[in-house]
Amino acid sequence: QVQLVESGGGLVQPGGSLRLSCAASGSIRSIYAMGWYRQAPGKQRELVATITGGGYTNYADSAKGRFTISRDNAKNTVYLQMNSLKPEDTAVYYCNADIRTGDYWGKGTLVTVSS
């Protein structure tokens, strides 16, 4: 079992920045990769960015150049630094842990980009 707890969401103006955090606990050694996904109202959940234990990263086109995913293995925490935020980035952001045979999800944190 892996437990994931997200934090860092909130209201930000267009052009602003936020940093999301996801703390993992439980069967940490089983995690192959961690990532961030988001779901906007009325839309399907979509990939934002992922990072493997070896540090390999993958980004959605919408995130490239604006978002940065990183991890602190000592703290079992993954971060998503989001810059130059746009109203279309408004969504619930979910942390994901991929254990190869399945995955785990956090409860999500709401990010609202609005003036």
Side-chain angles (χ1 to χ4, degrees):
Q1 292 280 340
V2 175
Q3 294 78 44
L4 304 171
V5 179
E6 304 102 331
S7 61
L11 173 64
V12 62
Q13 292 187 341
S17 298
L18 277 177
R19 189 176 81 154
L20 306 183
S21 300
C22 173
S25 61
S27 302
I28 303 298
R29 293 180 180 270
S30 66
I31 298 175
Y32 165 71
M34 294 185 69
W36 290 95
Y37 291 71
R38 68 186 183 186
Q39 187 166 17
K43 295 188 177 181
Q44 291 187 331
R45 192 172 298 187
E46 63 179 8
L47 168 73
V48 178
T50 60
I51 185 167
T52 67
Y56 178 80
T57 58
N58 180 51
Y59 293 92
D61 287 343
S62 59
K64 290 178 181 177
R66 300 188 300 127
F67 295 2
T68 302
I69 190 169
S70 61
R71 63 190 295 164
D72 183 334
N73 290 330
K75 296 182 179 180
N76 298 321
T77 300
V78 172
Y79 304 97
L80 184 69
Q81 177 67 43
M82 303 187 293
N83 299 326
S84 302
L85 283 161
K86 306 175 182 179
E88 51 263 44
D89 294 317
T90 295
V92 177
Y93 284 71
Y94 296 91
C95 181
N96 172 272
D98 177 1
I99 61 168
R100 293 185 181 267
T101 57
D103 52 15
Y104 292 89
W105 295 92
K107 294 183 178 180
T109 185
L110 176 63
V111 172
T112 303
V113 185
S114 175
S115 55

